[in-house]
């Protein structure tokens, strides 16, 4: 679906006109192409006194062949500013992150990154440290709003002992795979992570993607296959033809099934046990909308949305966490929520409830999943250019596109890349997160 306004403002004249009228001028975002380096310009790296992640950060920057500088040089455009703020234990020390970012923020390249690493506030050792670490959130979210040229800012909360588990998250955030993810707070815990093969991290893994016949699900299936997984594409029988087309193109296979059927969990577990001898990645992408304001919403509209978007997923995950499950250690359960589930939305009481439920489900199940060496996370997409959003009335669609720090809609691939990061064998420390893929949407923030 094309964004004509963005096309217009990409031309010199259109851009000038938009600027003069005080209208947004969205920068076309750089997106990953196979073979692209993680960073293609120097990285400025700094740390607060007493910070503890230096070794892990240097290791990742070294492995991605970044040219690392520790003080800004005039005229250099930086692919990323990376600041280890874990040494900040009191509010007067926040000055260090201000000093580092403020001197170089105007040198951040187009589609560049600002990444601040801190300690999860609940894992700090006293009130002063907790206060200062929590304060970083306001800082990073503001940086996200002030950055220009499609650049983004993130805060990574690295729990004590999580240093060795940071690599996959740093790579994702530094790269153009995280193009539409901004102003997120991502928690990484300690984990023994597999060292993946970076060009095909999902080699020999088996993945299930629900709702894979079109839209975001199709892109997720393609991306997991690109990363080396055998993808089983699931959708309702009525979508059989499109489903087969997607599966054939990516060398995957199909499973025609309505996930709300009573025996769906059993059929899924049997399918993977018998046909594939196991399962590694499950993406609960299938979802529906049945919009009506509450006074006009029928029971059927309520039940169908809660049934597909939430209850089917709860039942399938329960089955996948039993002892006889085909889900292997190192497994990944991934939900698709929505910013409607965070902010609420007129006409979507059923949908917003179901998507908020997905967030609760992820948070509730994370400790149990961890006991089995499995992670569970969700993405919460904002405005994504799909046939679903193409059907939205034009004024609402324009508002949805522009009301975020990047002034544009995301693409299905942006959701898919975020899911691929969760799925990565190196992301074993990423558990119980809900990362928004919304370009820092104003809704619910
Ligand atoms: P879509 O309607 O294009 O695709 C959804 C797919 O799910 C369809 O192929 C459909 O057949 C399948 N499906 C529906 N009910 C099913 C069932 N009972 N069993 C099996 N499959 C079923 O939607 P999309 O825009 O690609 O959205 C994908 C996901 O992303 C959904 O969960 C949606 O809520 C979420 N999301 C989308 C946006 C957006 O902007 N498009 C924003 C936030 C969240």
């Amino acid at each position: 679906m094309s964004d004509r306004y963005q096309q217009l403002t990409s031309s010199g004249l259109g851009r000038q006109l938009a600027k003069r009228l005080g209208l947004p001028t969205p920068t076309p975002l750089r997106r990953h192409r196979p073979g692209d380096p993680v960073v293609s310009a120097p990285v400025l790296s700094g740390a607060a006194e007493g910070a503890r992640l230096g070794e892990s950060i240097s290791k990742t920057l070294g492995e991605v062949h970044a040219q690392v500088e520790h003080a800004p040089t005039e005229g250099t455009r930086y692919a990323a500013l990376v600041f280890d703020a874990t040494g900040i234990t009191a509010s007067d020390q926040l000055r260090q992150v201000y000093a580092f970012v403020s001197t170089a923020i105007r040198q951040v390249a187009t589609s560049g990154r600002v990444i601040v690493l801190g300690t999860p506030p609940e894992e700090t050792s006293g009130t002063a440290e907790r206060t200062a670490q929590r304060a970083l959130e306001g800082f990073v979210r503001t940086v996200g709003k002030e950055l220009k040229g499609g650049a983004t800012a993130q805060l990574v909360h690295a729990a004590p002992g999580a240093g060795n588990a940071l690599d996959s998250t740093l790579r994702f955030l530094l790269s153009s795979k995280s193009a539409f993810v901004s102003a997120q707070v991502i928690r990484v815990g300690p984990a023994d992570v597999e060292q993946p093969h970076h060009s095909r991290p999902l080699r020999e893994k088996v993945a299930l993607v629900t709702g894979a016949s079109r839209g975001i699900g199709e892109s997720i299936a393609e991306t997991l296959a690109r990363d080396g997984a055998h993808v089983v594409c699931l959708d309702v029988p009525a979508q059989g033809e499109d489903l087969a087309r997607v599966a054939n193109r990516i060398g995957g296979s199909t499973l025609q099934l309505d996930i709300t059927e009573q025996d769906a969990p059993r059929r899924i577990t049997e399918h993977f046990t018998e046909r594939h001898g196991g399962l590694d990645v499950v993406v609960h992408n299938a979802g529906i909308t049945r919009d009506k304001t509450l006074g006009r919403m029928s029971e059927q509209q309520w039940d169908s949305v809660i049934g597909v978007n939430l209850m089917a997923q709860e039942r399938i995950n329960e089955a996948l966490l039993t002892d006889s499950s085909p889900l292997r250690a190192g497994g990944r359960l991934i939900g698709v929520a929505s910013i409607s589930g965070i902010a609420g939305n007129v006409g979507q009481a059923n949908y917003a409830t179901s998507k908020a439920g997905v967030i609760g489900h992820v948070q509730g199940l994370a400790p149990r999943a961890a006991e089995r060496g499995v992670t569970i996370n969700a993405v919460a997409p904002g405005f994504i250019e799909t046939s679903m959003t193409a059907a939205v009335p034009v004024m609402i669609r324009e508002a949805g596109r522009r009301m975020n720090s990047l002034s544009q809609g995301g693409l299905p691939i942006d959701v898919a890349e975020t899911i691929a990061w969760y799925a990565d064998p190196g992301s074993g420390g990423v558990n119980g997160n809900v990362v928004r893929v919304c370009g820092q949407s104003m809704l619910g923030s």
Side-chain angles (χ1 to χ4, degrees):
M1 155 99 237
S2 72
D3 179 345
R4 293 227 176 87
Y5 178 79
Q6 186 176 8
Q7 284 167 5
L8 181 75
T9 55
S10 298
S11 73
L13 194 64
R15 198 172 178 81
Q16 263 180 11
L17 188 67
K19 274 193 172 160
R20 220 176 273 165
L21 293 171
L23 296 171
T25 49
T27 302
L29 302 180
R30 187 156 44 84
R31 291 194 166 81
H32 177 79
R33 285 163 312 180
D36 275 359
V38 174
V39 285
S40 47
V43 173
L44 187 69
S45 174
E49 241 167 81
R52 59 182 162 81
L53 300 171
E55 210 177 301
S56 315
I57 296 169
S58 304
K59 189 164 176 275
T60 297
L61 292 178
E63 282 176 9
V64 304
H65 308 293
Q67 184 191 327
V68 181
E69 296 180 9
H70 296 287
T73 44
E74 220 182 293
T76 304
R77 303 287 277 174
Y78 293 102
L81 314 183
V82 179
F83 189 77
D84 180 358
T86 54
I88 292 179
T89 54
S91 303
D92 59 341
Q93 298 164 15
L94 287 164
R95 214 169 194 289
Q96 298 178 71
V97 70
Y98 148 76
F100 177 82
V101 178
S102 67
T103 49
I105 191 166
R106 283 183 285 174
Q107 290 174 245
V108 173
T110 302
S111 285
R113 304 283 183 257
V114 174
I115 302 172
V116 176
L117 296 105
T119 303
E122 64 284 3
E123 300 205 31
T124 49
S125 51
T127 304
E129 185 179 1
R130 184 170 185 149
T131 304
Q133 286 295 327
R134 179 63 181 78
L136 291 171
E137 234 182 275
F139 180 80
V140 170
R141 290 192 202 277
T142 302
V143 172
K145 291 188 174 175
E146 290 190 5
L147 281 167
K148 299 199 165 56
T152 61
Q154 326 285 351
L155 177 60
V156 179
H157 277 157
N164 69 332
L166 275 178
D167 183 63
S168 74
T169 298
L170 283 178
R171 280 174 191 260
F172 170 65
L173 295 178
L174 286 167
S175 76
S176 43
K177 292 180 176 177
S178 59
F180 201 60
V181 177
S182 192
Q184 295 307 290
V185 181
I186 294 166
R187 190 182 189 287
V188 183
D192 288 329
V193 291
E194 281 177 57
Q195 281 310 318
H197 185 275
H198 289 297
S199 64
R200 283 173 79 76
L202 299 179
R203 261 190 328 187
E204 289 161 28
K205 305 279 183 193
V206 178
L208 167 67
V209 179
T210 70
S213 70
R214 63 176 194 224
I216 295 173
E218 178 176 2
S219 186
I220 297 167
E222 276 170 4
T223 306
L224 298 184
R226 174 202 71 187
D227 284 355
H230 174 86
V231 182
V232 177
C233 302
L234 180 152
D235 214 303
V236 288
Q239 286 291 112
E241 229 170 85
D242 285 349
L243 190 67
R245 183 181 47 78
V246 174
N248 287 341
R249 200 175 62 236
I250 65 172
S253 52
T254 61
L255 178 57
Q256 291 189 15
L257 178 66
D258 181 333
I259 54 169
T260 61
E261 293 288 340
Q262 203 49 37
D263 65 349
R266 183 184 56 77
R267 284 184 54 194
I268 288 172
T269 50
E270 277 179 13
H271 180 88
F272 285 93
T273 305
E274 288 163 15
R275 302 266 182 97
H276 302 280
L279 172 61
D280 302 287
V281 179
V282 179
V283 185
H284 294 286
N285 162 77
I288 58 168
T289 51
R290 296 288 182 271
D291 295 0
K292 274 278 181 285
T293 48
L294 261 177
R296 297 175 198 282
M297 186 177 288
S298 67
E299 284 179 5
Q300 202 275 332
Q301 285 166 327
W302 175 269
D303 288 344
S304 58
V305 171
I306 302 288
V308 175
N309 296 4
L310 180 59
M311 289 173 62
Q313 188 166 155
E314 287 181 278
R315 292 177 57 234
I316 293 166
N317 282 346
E318 275 303 329
L320 290 174
L321 289 174
T322 59
D323 287 341
S324 56
S325 158
L327 191 68
R328 290 187 266 250
R332 303 279 186 260
L333 301 174
I334 301 164
V336 178
S338 162
I339 58 168
S340 289
I342 295 169
N345 200 12
V346 175
Q348 291 199 313
N350 48 3
Y351 184 76
T353 303
S354 71
K355 295 299 187 179
V358 169
I359 295 173
H361 180 65
V362 161
Q363 291 168 341
L365 218 50
R368 236 177 89 199
E371 281 168 23
R372 293 183 55 130
V374 168
T375 66
I376 178 166
N377 296 283
V379 290
F383 184 97
I384 304 296
E385 305 280 358
T386 60
S387 48
M388 186 172 116
T389 46
V392 170
V394 63
M395 290 309 285
I396 299 176
R397 188 165 72 225
E398 265 310 289
R401 274 183 180 143
R402 305 300 158 216
M403 278 168 53
N404 63 66
S405 296
L406 300 171
S407 304
Q408 59 195 286
L411 301 180
I413 186 67
D414 299 324
V415 179
E417 294 284 18
T418 308
I419 286 173
W421 155 63
Y422 283 144
D424 191 304
S427 298
V430 182
N431 189 25
N433 277 268
V434 178
V435 167
R436 295 168 55 145
V437 186
C438 67
Q440 193 175 21
S441 167
M442 285 175 211
L443 299 179
S445 57

